[in-house]
Amino acid sequence: MAAGDNVNAYNSVANGAYLNIQPVAGAVWQIFNLYFGDDWELYLSDGTNNIKIDGNYGSGSIQKRSMVVTNTQYLRIKNVSGGSRFFGYDGVIWK
């Protein structure tokens, strides 16, 4: 994948598990939209420490944002719905 290409995922996530928005080492992504199938929490992580930056009950989305992630500083969507649900994101590759 090259700079300017689209990056996205839409996956089933078990209750209590995370969907990591984390590129490979050396890559940089700009994330525009996040999608939530049910109750969720959003974290910024360095792999050891998680900082909760948002959360909500029910399905929905966060759209038209500009969040930059790298392999060492990335976003995690946690499913807190009580069952498996779908979560996703989209953006572009910078590098």
Side-chain angles (χ1 to χ4, degrees):
M1 297 179 82
D5 286 352
N6 181 269
V7 61
N8 60 57
Y10 182 69
N11 297 320
S12 179
V13 179
N15 183 59
Y18 295 88
L19 173 61
N20 290 331
I21 306 170
Q22 180 182 25
V24 298
V28 179
W29 296 350
Q30 183 177 11
I31 303 301
F32 298 121
N33 304 303
L34 303 170
Y35 308 102
F36 313 106
D38 208 332
D39 303 350
W40 56 276
E41 295 174 350
L42 181 63
Y43 293 87
L44 180 64
S45 182
D46 64 3
T48 302
N49 304 295
N50 290 325
I51 301 170
K52 184 178 176 183
I53 57 176
D54 206 347
N56 206 347
Y57 296 103
S59 60
S61 63
I62 296 176
Q63 298 183 8
K64 299 179 183 174
R65 303 298 169 134
S66 179
M67 298 172 279
V68 175
V69 294
T70 67
N71 183 259
T72 57
Q73 189 171 18
Y74 54 94
L75 295 169
R76 306 180 86 193
I77 302 171
K78 184 176 183 181
N79 177 1
V80 293
S81 70
S84 292
R85 300 291 188 271
F86 279 86
F87 296 86
Y89 62 88
D90 62 56
V92 294
I93 299 171
W94 275 11
K95 160 181 144 173

